[in-house]
Amino acid sequence: MPSVISTDVLIVGAGVAGLWLNARLRRQGFSTVLVESRTLGGAQTVKSQGIIHGGAKYALHGALTGASEAIADMPRRWREALAGTGELDLTGVRLLSEAHYLWSPGTLAGNLTSFFASKAVRGRVDQVKGDQLPPALQDPRFKGKVYRLAELVVDVPSLIERLAELGGDGLLSGQNIEPVFANEELIGLRIDGREIHAQRIVFSAGAGNAELLASAGISVPAQQLRPLHMVLVKGPSLKPLYAHCLGGGPKPRITVTTHPAANGEWVWYLGGDIAEADGVARTPAEQIAVAQKELGNLLPWVDLSQAQWATLRVNRAEPAQSGLVRPDNAFLADQGRLLVGWPTKLALAPDFSDRVITALHNDGIQPGNAPVLPEFVRPPLAQTPWEQLLP
Ligand SMILES: Cc1cc2nc3c(=O)[nH]c(=O)nc-3n(C[C@H](O)[C@H](O)[C@H](O)COP(=O)(O)OP(=O)(O)OC[C@H]3O[C@@H](n4cnc5c(N)ncnc54)[C@H](O)[C@@H]3O)c2cc1C
């Protein structure tokens, strides 16, 4: 039986929340171990669209919501990290698009009036025309308006790879995780029989948090899952498009992002309203038929005759709240030695790590342990949904 390891912070779950936190803590001199039961980033993170929101989408409601406020600083923080001058050095991570766009295919003046009246977007949205339009919209038949948002889109696989690199020797593949108590206080975890003690333990396991809490006999915070039914299209004639396409309602009708496939083609990944409630109720074949019709109406000049189609069902994991209202910020519950949370968005990973670091400061936790770690079995990097579903 290997001897007990003592680390400053033991993190469970290597999605963007755990990976970002782990890298930041290590940069600040804390010793860390990050345990992952499956693949790095393979649950929600690699299935996300990679948009680093600044809150503009939420201003579509017209009201200046908390979401618009809290998230407004995230694009700046990510840009700095990508440039190597921020809280993490993410140079080398691929930026898919310098901007995300808002695309109004028809006359939706009412909707957009309230949008532009919102303080969250004022001064940060420019209309684009002609050769400034996203490549997929550059067609003489295109009508409608397009606005450039101060948001960016990152290539999530390269982000995961870089964050894993910054994780150094602390990434541990572990399946069987049991709590270790002393005097009724959680002091560590037994991972596949190896005991690891820590000053603080963080559960950042996404949808896995509920089970981890239950196994430690803890009932709060409660978690909710929000199902989505995404659509993937891959084809030789697709061109890049990163845009929220507006419908009549407060949510984007479709949110399109574009991702590089290994064979050199582009993949369009479709979320937004199409992937929510009605979309979840549809069978994959029905969902593909709806997406084909939508794209045919919106982008009739795009040749989809050779495109391959697939759908992906995935749950978003968040803290439970009444009425399935979306959380405004990253969420962290501080329960003594245990911290549990969900970033609620990829974009909010920096906010999630801020909350953990603040909790450490408030509790006077300093870098202290400097364990020499044994050579851990490292969890593999996740595969993208497009390589899995449309190889
Ligand atoms: C389809 C989709 C599109 C999205 N698009 C965007 C977007 O464009 N922009 C944005 O900001 N956000 C987006 N999001 C939200 C974003 O992806 C998530 O909020 C974020 O990735 C959550 O990160 P996480 O680290 O908390 O969770 P996850 O990525 O789910 O990671 C949790 C990790 O914990 C591991 N784990 C679970 N249980 C255990 C256990 N018992 N022991 C060890 N490890 C365990 C899992 O294997 C997993 O690797 C999207 C989400 C979805 C589903």
Side-chain angles (χ1 to χ4, degrees), residues 12-17 35-39 43-45 47-51 53 177 204-206 208 212 228 230 269 314 316 343-347:
V12 184
V16 72
V35 191
E36 168 57 50
S37 58
R38 304 186 76 172
T39 56
Q44 295 166 85
T45 298
K47 295 170 190 145
S48 82
Q49 293 190 278
I51 306 164
H53 303 282
I177 300 182
S204 58
L212 283 167
L228 295 173
M230 306 289 286
Y269 193 30
V314 53
R316 285 181 78 144
T344 75
K345 286 179 187 66
L346 177 91

Coordinates of all heavy atoms in Angstrom, one line a residue, residues 12-17 35-39 43-45 47-51 53 177 204-206 208 212 228 230 269 314 316 343-347, ligand 1:
V12 N -11.1 17.2 -7.6 CA -11.7 16.1 -8.3 C -12.6 16.6 -9.5 O -13.5 17.3 -9.4 CB -12.6 15.3 -7.4 CG1 -13.2 14.0 -8.1 CG2 -11.9 14.9 -6.1
G13 N -12.2 16.1 -10.7 CA -12.9 16.5 -11.9 C -12.0 17.4 -12.8 O -11.8 18.5 -12.4
A14 N -11.6 16.9 -13.9 CA -10.7 17.7 -14.8 C -11.4 18.1 -16.1 O -11.1 17.8 -17.2 CB -9.4 16.9 -15.2
G15 N -12.5 18.9 -15.9 CA -13.1 19.6 -17.0 C -12.4 21.0 -16.9 O -11.4 21.2 -16.2
V16 N -13.0 22.0 -17.6 CA -12.3 23.3 -17.6 C -12.2 23.9 -16.2 O -11.2 24.5 -15.9 CB -13.0 24.3 -18.6 CG1 -14.3 24.8 -18.0 CG2 -12.1 25.4 -18.9
A17 N -13.2 23.6 -15.3 CA -13.1 24.2 -14.0 C -11.9 23.7 -13.2 O -11.1 24.5 -12.7 CB -14.4 23.9 -13.3
V35 N -7.7 14.9 -9.8 CA -8.1 13.5 -10.1 C -9.2 13.5 -11.2 O -10.2 14.2 -11.0 CB -8.7 12.8 -8.9 CG1 -8.8 11.3 -9.2 CG2 -7.8 13.0 -7.7
E36 N -9.1 12.6 -12.2 CA -10.1 12.5 -13.2 C -10.4 11.0 -13.4 O -9.5 10.2 -13.6 CB -9.6 13.2 -14.5 CG -10.4 12.9 -15.7 CD -11.8 13.3 -15.7 OE1 -12.1 14.4 -15.3 OE2 -12.7 12.5 -16.0
S37 N -11.7 10.7 -13.5 CA -12.1 9.3 -13.6 C -12.1 8.8 -15.1 O -12.0 7.6 -15.3 CB -13.4 9.0 -12.9 OG -14.4 9.8 -13.5
R38 N -12.3 9.8 -16.0 CA -12.4 9.4 -17.4 C -11.3 10.1 -18.2 O -10.2 9.7 -18.2 CB -13.8 9.6 -17.9 CG -14.8 8.9 -17.0 CD -16.2 8.9 -17.4 NE -16.4 8.0 -18.6 CZ -17.6 7.7 -19.1 NH1 -18.7 8.3 -18.7 NH2 -17.6 6.9 -20.1
T39 N -11.8 11.1 -19.0 CA -10.8 11.8 -19.9 C -10.7 13.2 -19.5 O -11.7 13.8 -19.0 CB -11.2 11.6 -21.4 OG1 -12.5 12.1 -21.6 CG2 -11.1 10.2 -21.8
A43 N -16.3 15.5 -20.5 CA -17.7 15.5 -20.2 C -18.4 16.7 -20.9 O -18.6 16.6 -22.1 CB -17.9 15.5 -18.7
Q44 N -18.6 17.8 -20.2 CA -19.2 18.9 -20.9 C -18.2 19.7 -21.7 O -18.5 20.3 -22.8 CB -19.8 19.9 -19.9 CG -21.0 19.4 -19.1 CD -21.2 20.3 -17.9 OE1 -21.9 21.3 -18.0 NE2 -20.7 20.0 -16.7
T45 N -17.0 19.9 -21.2 CA -16.0 20.9 -21.7 C -15.8 20.7 -23.2 O -15.9 21.6 -24.0 CB -14.7 20.9 -20.9 OG1 -15.1 21.2 -19.5 CG2 -13.7 21.9 -21.4
K47 N -17.4 19.2 -25.3 CA -18.7 19.3 -26.1 C -19.3 20.7 -26.1 O -20.3 20.9 -26.7 CB -19.7 18.4 -25.5 CG -19.3 16.9 -25.6 CD -20.2 16.0 -24.8 CE -19.5 14.6 -24.7 NZ -19.7 13.9 -23.4
S48 N -18.5 21.7 -25.5 CA -19.1 23.0 -25.5 C -18.7 23.7 -26.9 O -18.0 23.2 -27.7 CB -18.4 23.8 -24.4 OG -17.2 24.3 -24.8
Q49 N -19.3 24.8 -27.1 CA -19.1 25.5 -28.4 C -17.9 26.5 -28.3 O -17.6 27.1 -29.3 CB -20.4 26.3 -28.8 CG -21.5 25.3 -29.1 CD -22.7 26.0 -29.7 OE1 -23.6 26.6 -29.1 NE2 -22.8 26.0 -31.1
G50 N -17.3 26.6 -27.1 CA -16.1 27.4 -27.0 C -16.3 28.9 -27.0 O -15.3 29.7 -27.2
I51 N -17.5 29.4 -26.9 CA -17.7 30.8 -26.9 C -17.4 31.4 -25.6 O -17.9 31.0 -24.5 CB -19.2 31.2 -27.3 CG1 -19.7 30.5 -28.5 CG2 -19.4 32.7 -27.4 CD1 -21.2 30.4 -28.7
H53 N -18.3 34.1 -23.7 CA -19.3 35.1 -23.7 C -18.9 36.3 -22.8 O -18.2 36.2 -21.9 CB -20.6 34.5 -22.9 CG -21.1 33.3 -23.5 ND1 -21.9 33.3 -24.6 CD2 -21.0 32.0 -23.1 CE1 -22.3 32.0 -24.9 NE2 -21.8 31.2 -24.0
I177 N -13.3 6.5 -5.8 CA -13.0 7.6 -4.9 C -13.8 7.4 -3.6 O -15.0 7.4 -3.7 CB -13.2 8.9 -5.6 CG1 -12.3 9.0 -6.8 CG2 -13.0 10.1 -4.7 CD1 -12.3 10.3 -7.6
S204 N -15.0 19.6 -8.5 CA -15.4 20.3 -9.7 C -15.7 19.2 -10.8 O -15.1 19.3 -11.9 CB -14.2 21.2 -10.2 OG -13.1 20.4 -10.4
A205 N -16.6 18.3 -10.5 CA -16.8 17.1 -11.3 C -18.0 17.3 -12.2 O -18.5 16.3 -12.7 CB -16.9 15.9 -10.4
G206 N -18.5 18.5 -12.4 CA -19.7 18.7 -13.3 C -20.8 17.8 -12.8 O -21.2 17.9 -11.6
G208 N -20.9 14.9 -12.1 CA -20.4 13.9 -11.1 C -20.4 14.4 -9.7 O -20.2 13.6 -8.8
L212 N -20.5 12.3 -6.0 CA -19.4 12.5 -5.0 C -19.9 13.0 -3.7 O -19.5 12.5 -2.6 CB -18.4 13.5 -5.6 CG -17.4 13.0 -6.7 CD1 -16.8 14.2 -7.3 CD2 -16.4 12.0 -6.1
L228 N -29.6 18.9 -23.5 CA -29.5 19.6 -24.8 C -29.4 18.5 -25.8 O -28.9 17.4 -25.6 CB -28.2 20.5 -24.8 CG -28.1 21.6 -23.9 CD1 -26.7 22.3 -24.0 CD2 -29.2 22.7 -24.2
M230 N -27.8 18.7 -29.4 CA -27.0 19.5 -30.4 C -27.0 18.8 -31.7 O -27.2 17.6 -31.8 CB -25.6 19.6 -29.9 CG -25.4 20.2 -28.5 SD -25.8 21.9 -28.3 CE -24.4 22.7 -29.1
Y269 N -21.4 23.3 -35.6 CA -22.0 22.7 -34.4 C -23.1 23.7 -34.0 O -22.9 24.9 -33.8 CB -20.9 22.7 -33.3 CG -21.1 21.9 -32.1 CD1 -21.9 20.8 -32.0 CD2 -20.5 22.3 -30.9 CE1 -22.1 20.0 -30.9 CE2 -20.6 21.6 -29.7 CZ -21.4 20.4 -29.7 OH -21.6 19.7 -28.6
V314 N -26.4 15.8 -24.6 CA -25.5 16.1 -23.4 C -26.2 17.0 -22.4 O -27.1 17.8 -22.8 CB -24.2 16.8 -24.0 CG1 -24.5 18.0 -24.8 CG2 -23.3 17.1 -22.9
R316 N -26.1 19.8 -19.4 CA -25.3 20.8 -18.6 C -25.6 20.6 -17.2 O -26.7 20.4 -16.8 CB -25.7 22.2 -19.1 CG -25.2 22.6 -20.4 CD -25.6 23.9 -20.9 NE -24.7 25.0 -20.2 CZ -24.4 26.1 -20.8 NH1 -24.7 26.3 -22.1 NH2 -23.6 27.0 -20.2
P343 N -18.8 25.9 -12.7 CA -18.6 27.2 -13.4 C -19.8 27.7 -14.1 O -20.0 28.9 -14.3 CB -17.4 26.9 -14.3 CG -17.5 25.5 -14.7 CD -18.1 24.8 -13.5
T344 N -20.7 26.8 -14.5 CA -21.9 27.0 -15.2 C -21.7 27.4 -16.7 O -22.6 27.3 -17.5 CB -22.9 28.0 -14.6 OG1 -22.4 29.3 -14.8 CG2 -23.1 27.7 -13.1
K345 N -20.5 27.9 -17.0 CA -20.1 28.2 -18.4 C -18.6 28.0 -18.5 O -17.8 28.3 -17.5 CB -20.4 29.6 -18.8 CG -21.8 29.9 -19.0 CD -22.1 31.3 -19.3 CE -23.6 31.5 -19.3 NZ -24.2 31.4 -18.0
L346 N -18.1 27.6 -19.7 CA -16.7 27.5 -19.9 C -16.1 28.9 -19.7 O -15.0 29.0 -19.0 CB -16.5 27.1 -21.4 CG -15.1 27.1 -22.0 CD1 -14.6 25.7 -21.8 CD2 -15.1 27.4 -23.4
A347 N -16.8 29.9 -20.2 CA -16.2 31.3 -20.1 C -16.0 31.7 -18.6 O -15.1 32.5 -18.4 CB -17.2 32.3 -20.7
Ligands
LIG1 C1 -23.5 21.5 -25.7 C2 -22.8 22.5 -24.8 C3 -22.4 23.7 -25.3 C4 -21.8 24.7 -24.4 N1 -21.3 25.8 -25.0 C5 -20.7 26.7 -24.2 C6 -20.1 27.9 -24.7 O1 -20.0 28.1 -25.9 N2 -19.5 28.8 -23.8 C7 -19.5 28.6 -22.5 O2 -19.0 29.5 -21.8 N3 -20.0 27.5 -21.9 C8 -20.6 26.5 -22.8 N4 -21.1 25.4 -22.2 C9 -21.0 25.1 -20.8 C10 -19.6 24.6 -20.4 O3 -19.3 23.5 -21.3 C11 -19.6 24.0 -19.0 O4 -20.2 25.0 -18.1 C12 -18.2 23.7 -18.5 O5 -17.5 23.0 -19.5 C13 -18.3 22.9 -17.3 O6 -17.0 22.6 -16.9 P1 -16.8 21.6 -15.6 O7 -15.3 21.5 -15.5 O8 -17.5 22.0 -14.5 O9 -17.4 20.2 -16.0 P2 -17.1 19.0 -17.0 O10 -16.5 19.5 -18.3 O11 -18.4 18.3 -17.1 O12 -16.0 18.2 -16.3 C14 -16.2 17.5 -15.1 C15 -15.2 16.4 -15.1 O13 -15.3 15.6 -13.9 C16 -15.1 14.3 -14.1 N5 -15.7 13.5 -13.1 C17 -17.1 13.3 -12.9 N6 -17.2 12.5 -11.8 C18 -16.0 12.2 -11.3 C19 -15.5 11.4 -10.2 N7 -16.4 10.8 -9.4 N8 -14.2 11.3 -10.0 C20 -13.3 11.9 -10.9 N9 -13.7 12.7 -11.9 C21 -15.0 12.8 -12.1 C22 -15.7 14.1 -15.5 O14 -15.3 12.9 -16.1 C23 -15.3 15.3 -16.2 O15 -14.1 15.2 -16.9 C24 -21.7 24.4 -23.1 C25 -22.1 23.2 -22.5 C26 -22.7 22.3 -23.4 C27 -23.1 21.0 -22.8

